[in-house]
Amino acid sequence: MLDKIYITRKLPEEIVEPLREKFEVHMWHSEEKGMTYEEIKTNAKDVQALWTMLSDNIDRALIESLPNLKVISNFGVGFNNIDIEAAKEHGIAVTNTPGVLTETTADLTFALLLATARRITEVEQEIRSGNWTSWSPMQYTGMDVFGATLGIVGMGRIGEAVARRAKGFDMNVLYHNRTRKLDAEETYGFTYAELDDLLKKSDFVILLTPLTPETKGLIGERELNLMKETSAIINVARGSIVDEKALYDALVNKKIWAAGMDVFEQEPVPVNHPLLTLPNVTMSPHIGSASIRTRLAMMQMNSKDIEAVLEGKQPKNRVV
Ligand code: DGY
């Protein structure tokens, strides 16, 4: 009997085809609409491999309801949607897609930084809605990115790639991380700072840390109050790292100047979310790694790792 794979979102057939030669592959029918928790539980009940998306909540109860499971391969570098401890206890390998998305995600981070600083989405809306009726000297003015101080919270691979780009803009780069990156400090001239110090000094704060119990709610009212009134915060990591209610209050009360967000506490963002009413919030819909080439490369990584585990080999990108 062939091992079974379940894929929780419709993926391009060219990616899935090679797996079909060796395994029994089942795939959800929709590209846009994800599976519910119950649908995963039912559809994947006897599979050996589960190929998941970051929107799938793979908790202990779900893991324990899939007795034949050998591998969970998650589409993304983050894996906060999976109960890693439960997988480990049951000897289930968990894999992700690091590395291949680093530069693409750093590009998006920089795009969001520039768009936030120069109010790009807000002013585009002015043109589209016919509000741009005259040109005037201080109209639609924003903040300079070049020469500004950038504070990166979470100096992993993506953080370093963002910091390298920042150097091209003559930015002064501060970073905060669990461990110091002495080599990178020396090579690129980044400066380590304690979180409070980084928040006080930065013109732009970029969040790039994984979501863990320690980083959940890392940026709340106290932290936002430490930031400059002229500063902006950019979140491209995970929504729950920021307390969105506190962020809304900080923006309305002008404790900070603007925010750029690629990720949200709830995704997709509900259309009545208070942050959507603020013109100084620049948003994108969780597209950090969303270039065609990178998304296809991520799929290839998942596919190869699933194949490896099912063939009794070590997957390349094993989290546990
Ligand atoms: C990741 O890889 O974790 C990203 O958030 C997906 O775009």
Side-chain angles (χ1 to χ4, degrees):
M1 277 238 295
L2 295 179
D3 277 344
K4 284 188 195 161
I5 301 172
Y6 198 89
I7 310 173
T8 65
R9 201 64 72 99
K10 187 169 172 13
L11 301 180
E13 198 45 45
E14 78 210 61
I15 300 284
V16 181
E17 189 51 40
L19 288 175
R20 292 197 195 279
E21 286 163 22
K22 298 186 181 172
F23 311 106
E24 189 181 318
V25 182
H26 298 268
M27 181 160 70
W28 184 237
H29 56 80
S30 172
E31 231 174 276
E32 274 90 41
K33 192 189 160 298
M35 299 180 75
T36 64
Y37 183 84
E38 286 306 321
E39 279 164 344
I40 298 178
K41 219 172 178 173
T42 314
N43 286 279
K45 101 174 152 299
D46 56 353
V47 302
Q48 279 73 27
L50 186 59
W51 185 341
T52 54
M53 307 295 126
L54 56 88
S55 46
D56 300 327
N57 172 23
I58 312 296
D59 64 6
R60 175 177 291 273
L62 181 56
I63 289 173
E64 292 182 346
S65 73
L66 309 176
N68 300 334
L69 201 58
K70 291 184 181 159
V71 54
I72 303 167
S73 195
N74 203 43
F75 184 67
V77 66
F79 46 83
N80 52 287
N81 55 314
I82 298 172
D83 188 330
I84 295 298
E85 277 312 307
K88 201 166 152 184
E89 274 176 41
H90 291 275
I92 297 164
V94 176
T95 74
N96 65 342
T97 63
V100 68
L101 48 63
T102 300
E103 301 299 330
T104 302
T105 308
D107 278 356
L108 185 276
T109 306
F110 231 82
L112 202 49
L113 167 63
L114 290 166
T116 303
R118 299 301 296 274
R119 306 168 53 182
I120 296 298
T121 54
E122 177 193 352
V123 295
E124 183 188 338
Q125 200 45 44
E126 288 286 285
I127 301 175
R128 288 185 189 272
S129 57
N131 285 342
W132 187 37
T133 51
S134 72
W135 184 93
S136 69
M138 291 305 285
Q139 185 186 40
Y140 305 142
T141 45
M143 297 294 179
D144 281 326
V145 169
F146 80 90
T149 296
L150 176 65
I152 299 179
V153 181
M155 191 58 116
R157 274 176 289 237
I158 302 170
E160 274 193 39
V162 170
R164 275 190 275 108
R165 284 161 175 74
K167 281 300 176 191
F169 281 71
D170 284 335
M171 298 183 90
N172 169 33
V173 180
L174 306 177
Y175 79 96
H176 180 72
N177 201 47
R178 262 180 320 178
T179 50
R180 277 186 70 165
K181 299 285 182 93
L182 294 171
D183 285 352
E185 282 182 33
E186 202 168 308
T187 314
Y188 302 110
F190 314 148
T191 308
Y192 178 81
E194 290 303 330
L195 182 59
D196 285 4
D197 198 34
L198 177 149
L199 294 169
K200 283 181 201 157
K201 290 182 177 154
S202 299
D203 298 305
F204 299 97
V205 172
I206 295 190
L207 304 175
L208 277 166
T209 160
L211 175 62
T212 64
E214 292 76 44
T215 62
K216 191 169 177 357
L218 182 71
I219 305 296
E221 187 186 350
R222 190 191 78 84
E223 289 71 26
L224 291 161
N225 278 334
L226 292 175
M227 291 174 62
K228 298 182 192 179
E229 287 180 2
T230 50
S231 69
I233 189 158
I234 315 286
N235 189 5
V236 275
R238 285 294 182 268
S240 306
I241 293 167
V242 178
D243 174 345
E244 281 179 2
K245 167 83 178 72
L247 177 62
Y248 175 82
D249 291 343
L251 288 162
V252 168
N253 298 321
K254 304 202 177 335
K255 299 279 185 197
I256 64 170
W257 181 75
M261 304 172 75
D262 185 51
V263 290
F264 303 85
E265 277 177 5
Q266 188 186 334
E267 295 178 3
V269 188
V271 73
N272 59 355
H273 193 299
L275 282 170
L276 271 58
T277 63
L278 304 181
N280 53 343
V281 179
T282 301
M283 290 172 281
S284 52
H286 204 146
I287 54 165
S289 61
S291 75
I292 298 167
R293 184 170 61 181
T294 292
R295 284 286 165 90
L296 291 174
M298 289 162 67
M299 289 172 198
Q300 295 289 6
M301 285 173 95
N302 287 131
S303 167
K304 290 215 166 66
D305 279 344
I306 289 173
E307 189 177 346
V309 176
L310 296 184
E311 290 182 341
K313 298 181 203 136
Q314 228 4 281
K316 279 216 178 93
N317 309 288
R318 189 167 184 158
V319 178
V320 289

